[in-house]
Amino acid sequence: MDGSKSMPAQIDMHHSPQVQSYLDLHSRIRGELPGRDIDWHSDWRRGCLQRFADQGFPTARDEDWRYTPLRPVLAKQFVPSQKPHVETRWTAEQIDGVDHSLIFVDGVFQGSAVATGAPPGIRIESISDLLGRDPDYLRPYLGKSSEDVAHAFSLINNALYSDGILIEIGSDVQSDVLLELFFVSKTDAALILPRIVVISRSGSSARIIERHVGQSGIHSLTSSVGEIYLEKGAYLNYHLIESAADTAYQVLGNWVYLHADSQLDFHTTTVGGALVRNDLVIDLREPGAECNLLGAYCLSGRQHVDNFTTVIHSAPHCNSNEHYKGVLDQRSRAVFHGRVRVAPDAQQSDARQASNTLLLSADAEIDAKPQLEIYADDVKCSHGATVGNLDEQAMFYMKARGIDGGTARSMLIRAFIDEILDAAEDDQVQQHVKTLVDGKMSGLQKSLKSGVQS
Amino acid sequence: MLIINKLCASVEDKPILNELSLEVNAGEVHAVMGPNGSGKSTLANVLAGRAQYEVTAGTVTFKGQDLLELDPEIRAREGLFLAFQYPVEIPGVSNVHMLKAALNAMRTHQGEKELDAVSFLKLIKEKARLVGMKQEFLYRAVNEGFSGGEKKRNEVLQMSLFEPMLSVLDETDSGLDIDALKIVAQGINRLRSPERAMLVVTHYQRLLGYIEPDFVHVLAHGKIIRSGGKELAVELEEHGYGWVEEHACTD
């Protein structure tokens, strides 16, 4: 193509109907998409659309998607929601202690709740507004992720996202505000394309929650892209909380770039969703950067959750520490993929990774796949994966003390998963995720009592 | 209180108990002694309801109910307590958390009000003091990293807390030094009362120097081959189990 501005005709070759439907969607809405008059932005969009058209959706032959079949997602047609909803009240689901909540319904920004005006030292702005006002401001940040891992879903977001949010924490701002990005899906077949850019300026410190919920029975598809930049010495605590409906499909991607001496604590808690893929890509770009990735998931029914993590040690003297724990009941299935890449000159890297899974049913399954690619010689890398069942000895011991089986089971599950949940920094966030896990387990117990599961 | 009648039980299809019969009344302390493999621990575990132990024949009645019909947690709530030979470590579950859940499950079952956190803490600290347990052990995970003696002390703490009608102690004395043995014995003696009964399963006579049993039974090959008063334990110590077995055969 050699830089020639390829016209849609160029990609109007023979595509699968699934791919074609997204290309058609693009043709329909491209005249309304933000950034269409900005060269760098429209070139990038076009490139992504082209890549999507070329590569299509991943199949079981694609090693990175081998354990996550996409059939149910591809069988359905999803369309973006355009109009803001009148109703913006989701107060019943609020987390105590959240100071500022940005609410998106079916992917459309509804405005802020809880507080008005941006928290001190933090800039919050709509991406489409910003592109209109200052077309080049986001150029170093927006779309960087597509240079790394890019699959059909993130490419669709790149090509089709209609708005998003920039959160910028000013230099040396120590914010104790608990800021929330709250995504609600409430329309069947909604295509939800959240776009987030977070810039933590040098020496700043902040806390962000990204939370997904949805109306039960709704089959929506969320494909998000978050691009997060931590400048020198910045600290960010980010908690992704997934309690979507058990019918929702979610492919959530977060790409984080860490510069010198910055630190990221990234938590992922998953209890909801029919099919969830969490792509987390961490690039430790400069010496002294550190990331702690902590994941907890509690699944039942036929839920499928794929935590696909990539940690890239690009620079020497960086630490990464990754620990995921899951509880799988009934016919649920989970994938843990831990890719760690240590670049040739990233000496003195320290990379740790662990995955522990508790299987409550003979029909549940975990595929844990560590993947270490180490090109430096002076590094410490460790990984370990364990899979176990509930300790029958402990169960009997507690029953022999008068504790009923269901309670004993809950206590053992909590004992297992709390190691991760307890690491949530904020007490109220911790309480919220524990309540989610408890709710999930009491649901399990109901199914236990009705004899659905042995 | 407890009537065991011709009880047969097996583990993994291997018969262990062979028509064992025993009656324990309120106020009595019975010691069950015997060599390794005689079925002592099997008896204790069958009474507590451990699933791996299969009852193949016979009956057990506890306070007039068919004990074998009851789930393990119901047996516990009805007042049957097993002090484990090998107390289980439960990482991540704190001792106080489990004990509170246990005590309140029992209280609810017995029609009493649950204890709130404050009253419970007061009670458990008092009990810990009685059995000489340091308070820090209350807040640690159940038995995790406890020494052998501390684990047994934790069993006695639980027994003091639940005040069971029938305590079955499965080799609670094994692996204890003399000081720990005394504390365990004191814990047991404190619970002795006309309403309660105890079944003390032990390999050695040692513990019986501190707890005077009303009856001593010798178990061999899954049945009681000889019963007597506390003096039988002394005889056993002198002559060994072989002597009793021979003696029983020639009777």
Side-chain angles (χ1 to χ4, degrees), chain A residues 393 396-397 399-402, chain B residues 50 73 77 82 102 155 158:
Chain A
Q393 303 278 353
F396 178 68
Y397 190 72
K399 285 184 190 172
R401 297 315 178 230
Chain B
R50 195 189 280 263
E73 60 269 35
R77 294 175 197 172
L82 171 68
E155 296 295 289
Q158 297 181 32

Side-chain angles (χ1 to χ4, degrees), chain A residues 268-271 294-300 305 307 323-329 332-336 354-360 364-366 368 386-390 412-414 416-421 437 441 444:
Chain A
T268 305
T269 307
T270 311
V271 296
L294 295 163
Y297 48 96
C298 189
L299 313 177
S300 62
V305 171
N307 281 299
H323 193 179
Y324 278 71
K325 277 190 158 190
V327 179
L328 306 184
D329 201 3
S332 63
R333 194 168 170 186
V335 181
F336 171 76
S355 158
N356 311 114
T357 316
L358 189 57
L359 297 180
L360 301 180
E365 185 179 325
I366 168 80
T386 64
V387 182
N389 304 109
L390 270 190
L412 290 178
I413 293 171
R414 277 290 298 272
F416 172 80
I417 204 96
D418 273 2
E419 185 186 358
I420 300 294
L421 303 183
V437 167
M441 284 188 308
L444 296 184

Side-chain angles (χ1 to χ4, degrees), chain A residues 64-80:
Chain A
D64 289 356
W65 289 84
R66 207 172 130 194
Y67 303 106
T68 298
L70 293 169
R71 221 174 305 109
V73 183
L74 301 182
K76 200 166 168 74
Q77 187 97 41
F78 299 94
V79 286

Side-chain angles (χ1 to χ4, degrees), chain A residues 329-330 403-410 438 440-454, chain B residues 71 73 77:
Chain A
D329 201 3
Q330 296 167 343
I403 299 172
D404 67 87
T407 305
R409 187 173 137 111
S410 295
D438 283 347
K440 190 82 185 183
M441 284 188 308
S442 63
L444 296 184
Q445 249 153 63
K446 274 180 213 137
S447 67
L448 192 74
K449 279 177 188 149
S450 66
V452 174
Q453 203 263 324
S454 62
Chain B
D71 288 335
E73 60 269 35
R77 294 175 197 172

Side-chain angles (χ1 to χ4, degrees), chain B residues 66-245:
Chain B
D66 180 357
L67 183 75
L68 302 177
E69 280 294 299
L70 304 178
D71 288 335
E73 60 269 35
I74 307 299
R75 298 182 194 195
R77 294 175 197 172
E78 285 287 325
L80 187 148
F81 176 83
L82 171 68
F84 281 55
Q85 184 178 7
Y86 303 108
V88 181
E89 297 193 7
I90 313 179
V93 176
S94 79
N95 220 0
V96 275
H97 183 44
M98 189 196 77
L99 294 179
K100 181 163 175 275
L103 183 68
N104 280 335
M106 292 182 194
R107 291 179 66 98
T108 305
H109 183 80
Q110 288 155 11
E112 294 174 68
K113 253 181 68 183
E114 288 194 4
L115 283 189
D116 61 34
V118 175
S119 324
F120 175 77
L121 271 182
K122 190 164 170 263
L123 177 66
I124 191 69
K125 283 178 181 171
E126 168 66 16
K127 298 291 182 187
R129 198 183 54 75
L130 276 178
V131 302
M133 180 188 272
K134 286 196 198 116
Q135 277 195 23
E136 57 167 286
F137 285 91
L138 295 176
Y139 299 98
R140 283 171 51 178
V142 178
N143 293 322
E144 193 184 31
F146 287 28
S147 70
E150 286 158 354
K151 284 181 181 168
K152 296 296 172 73
R153 204 190 295 261
N154 203 19
E155 296 295 289
V156 176
L157 169 73
Q158 297 181 32
M159 196 173 80
S160 319
L161 178 67
F162 304 145
E163 301 183 334
M165 297 302 289
L166 175 67
S167 300
V168 179
L169 294 108
D170 187 7
E171 305 212 18
T172 301
D173 51 335
S174 65
L176 292 187
D177 63 31
I178 196 74
D179 292 336
L181 191 68
K182 277 185 190 166
I183 285 164
V184 166
Q186 281 166 11
I188 295 168
N189 285 331
R190 247 195 313 273
L191 267 188
R192 283 183 91 149
S193 81
E195 302 86 49
R196 299 182 210 291
M198 305 206 184
L199 193 60
V200 181
V201 172
T202 181
H203 188 81
Y204 301 105
Q205 191 266 341
R206 204 166 65 129
L207 178 66
L208 304 181
Y210 300 95
I211 311 167
E212 283 200 9
D214 301 303
F215 302 95
V216 175
H217 309 278
V218 180
L219 197 59
H221 309 298
K223 67 199 301 179
I224 288 170
I225 55 167
R226 189 156 171 199
S227 297
K230 63 184 174 197
E231 65 287 346
L232 178 57
V234 182
E235 263 183 87
L236 272 173
E237 189 75 357
E238 280 172 24
H239 304 290
Y241 288 116
W243 170 79
V244 186
E245 281 188 53

